[in-house]
Amino acid sequence: MHSVPDGRRTGPTRRAVFRTIAGVAAAGAAGGYAWDRLRHDSTGTAGANSGPSARSTGPHTFERLSAPGRTVVRAGDGGTLATFTDGARTAVLTGPSRTFSEPRTTEAKVTTDAWVRVLPHAWQRGMETSAWFKGWFRKTLVDSSPDVFAVAFQYSSAGAPAKHNADGVRYAGTAHFGPRNAEVDNPLDFAFHDEQSDFYDYLGTDWTFPDGTRVQPEKARYGDVDCSGFQRLVWGYRMGIPLHNTNTRGAGLPRRAFAIAAYGPGHLVIPHTGRQQATDLGVLQPGDLVFFAIIKDRPDFIDHCGMYMGLDDHGRHRFYSSRSAANGPTLGDLSGRSLLDGTDFYARGFRAARRL
């Protein structure tokens, strides 16, 4: 089962970041990402042998739990079918097991039966009785189309096939972090590739936000997304959560990591309390956004974000984020292990988590 607890630009850039950190400095075997290739086709959808479990088609009940307030759907055998958190649109459902790996940058793998979906509305207690939910849940339980994890891996820096829409816009395919920074020589330095690339830079298209603000992509940043830009690409552009273009309060996801942590939609499952490493990992569920303070002289300032995937095959809490060392989205360990627990670089910098 997936690790879902059920009760039973302002500020400094990465040029100011500590430039010499301990981490895994080299990748092992060559190769791109792998997503359960035995059971999934190359388009990112579940294969014919990965239908819904028998558990999903039987009777189920609803249970209320707290801290955070949430509704858990139980199968007839008592197992968890789904979890819906008050105030959040993220839904985690149990489905066919999948394995995510990235041999280019780590030996670790994440095998999970968590399928992360986005509700059409933020969850509220009692919604399980509504007509819209009954129809949505019935369809989603047997849905094998790409979920949030599958969509996120359509941008893997280790290699992902390009996908184009009817207008010829490449909306998926290998993403990179940002343009090469000529002032930095060390490829493992956080500033080796420049940040500030948002989702519309990756797409290479103009974008108009709900407040009427219109932005244009930089040609040099085509195909690039920094850490928060990657989350906006997946959760906003692809999954439909509203976006705005400031670092203040607003409807949907703001631009930078610190602003998403402070003002983003959903539920703050681990509040940012300052300089201390967040250690209450039991409240996390797959898909939660996780936030880090990675600037040497600003241990209380959030400047990186990623997506929590759950436990890897070593029992460690692993996340997925767009990073300079891997030059794009990675679950790997170049220039710091992608872990929330322990004493590695990112674990020490882990500060907060939000469920969108």
Side-chain angles (χ1 to χ4, degrees):
M1 292 293 294
H2 54 268
S3 54
V4 180
D6 58 14
R8 285 178 240 207
R9 263 320 137 200
T10 56
T13 69
R14 284 182 177 79
R15 290 189 177 90
V17 170
F18 182 32
R19 298 183 184 278
T20 54
I21 67 168
V24 177
Y33 79 98
W35 171 38
D36 205 6
R37 293 180 183 273
L38 294 178
R39 283 179 286 177
H40 294 82
D41 63 31
S42 61
T43 65
T45 59
N49 295 327
S50 296
S53 64
R55 171 182 288 167
S56 68
T57 58
H60 52 267
T61 58
F62 297 89
E63 179 182 3
R64 280 294 298 178
L65 297 175
S66 59
R70 61 201 188 278
T71 301
V72 175
V73 187
R74 302 284 187 193
D77 62 3
T80 302
L81 274 181
T83 302
F84 306 98
T85 302
D86 295 356
R89 289 179 62 183
T90 301
V92 178
L93 292 88
T94 299
S97 180
R98 300 172 291 174
T99 295
F100 297 89
S101 65
E102 192 181 315
R104 183 177 70 103
T105 58
T106 184
E107 295 180 354
K109 300 177 181 179
V110 176
T111 298
T112 180
D113 59 5
W115 288 62
V116 182
R117 301 289 185 184
V118 175
L119 289 160
H121 315 284
W123 184 259
Q124 295 180 16
R125 182 173 185 170
M127 274 189 168
E128 65 271 19
T129 63
S130 64
W132 76 261
F133 173 77
K134 292 177 181 178
W136 180 91
F137 189 54
R138 183 173 58 253
K139 293 177 181 178
T140 306
L141 272 177
V142 297
D143 186 4
S144 62
S145 66
D147 71 330
V148 172
F149 279 174
V151 168
F153 270 76
Q154 290 177 1
Y155 302 96
S156 172
S157 61
K163 298 176 183 293
H164 297 81
N165 64 19
D167 296 323
V169 174
R170 189 188 68 165
Y171 68 88
T174 305
H176 299 298
F177 185 82
R180 170 78 170 84
N181 182 357
E183 298 178 5
V184 178
D185 296 325
N186 182 0
L188 297 183
D189 192 300
F190 287 131
F192 188 75
H193 294 99
D194 193 29
E195 58 182 354
Q196 302 182 20
S197 298
D198 204 355
F199 71 96
Y200 53 84
D201 292 305
Y202 174 89
L203 298 169
T205 60
D206 294 357
W207 193 265
T208 302
F209 290 92
D211 66 356
T213 302
R214 187 171 180 81
V215 293
Q216 293 182 326
E218 295 184 30
K219 291 182 179 180
R221 297 180 182 275
Y222 177 66
D224 298 343
V225 276
D226 64 15
C227 66
S228 52
F230 176 52
Q231 301 304 329
R232 283 157 62 88
L233 179 63
V234 173
W235 292 95
Y237 177 73
R238 292 295 301 278
M239 308 309 295
I241 289 180
L243 298 165
H244 61 95
N245 202 37
T246 73
N247 293 313
T248 59
R249 296 184 186 278
L253 289 173
R255 173 62 182 100
R256 290 189 60 189
F258 77 87
I260 297 174
Y263 310 126
H267 183 84
L268 196 62
V269 292
I270 299 179
H272 179 214
T273 59
R275 298 167 176 254
Q276 297 300 312
Q277 176 179 347
T279 57
D280 187 15
L281 306 183
V283 301
L284 295 174
Q285 73 176 22
D288 286 351
L289 294 193
V290 288
F291 302 92
F292 306 85
I294 63 172
I295 298 176
K296 179 182 179 181
D297 298 323
R298 296 285 302 276
D300 60 344
F301 181 78
I302 290 172
D303 197 39
H304 186 67
C305 62
M307 181 188 300
Y308 178 60
M309 296 197 67
L311 299 179
D312 65 19
D313 54 349
H314 297 289
R316 306 293 298 276
H317 295 267
R318 189 163 289 270
F319 67 93
Y320 187 59
S321 69
S322 185
R323 288 157 51 181
S324 176
N327 194 17
T330 181
L331 57 76
D333 298 325
L334 287 177
S335 196
R337 298 181 186 276
S338 296
L339 299 174
L340 302 180
D341 57 316
T343 59
D344 293 299
F345 177 75
Y346 283 99
R348 295 198 308 273
F350 179 39
R351 295 291 183 268
R354 179 175 290 278
R355 190 165 301 157
L356 296 181

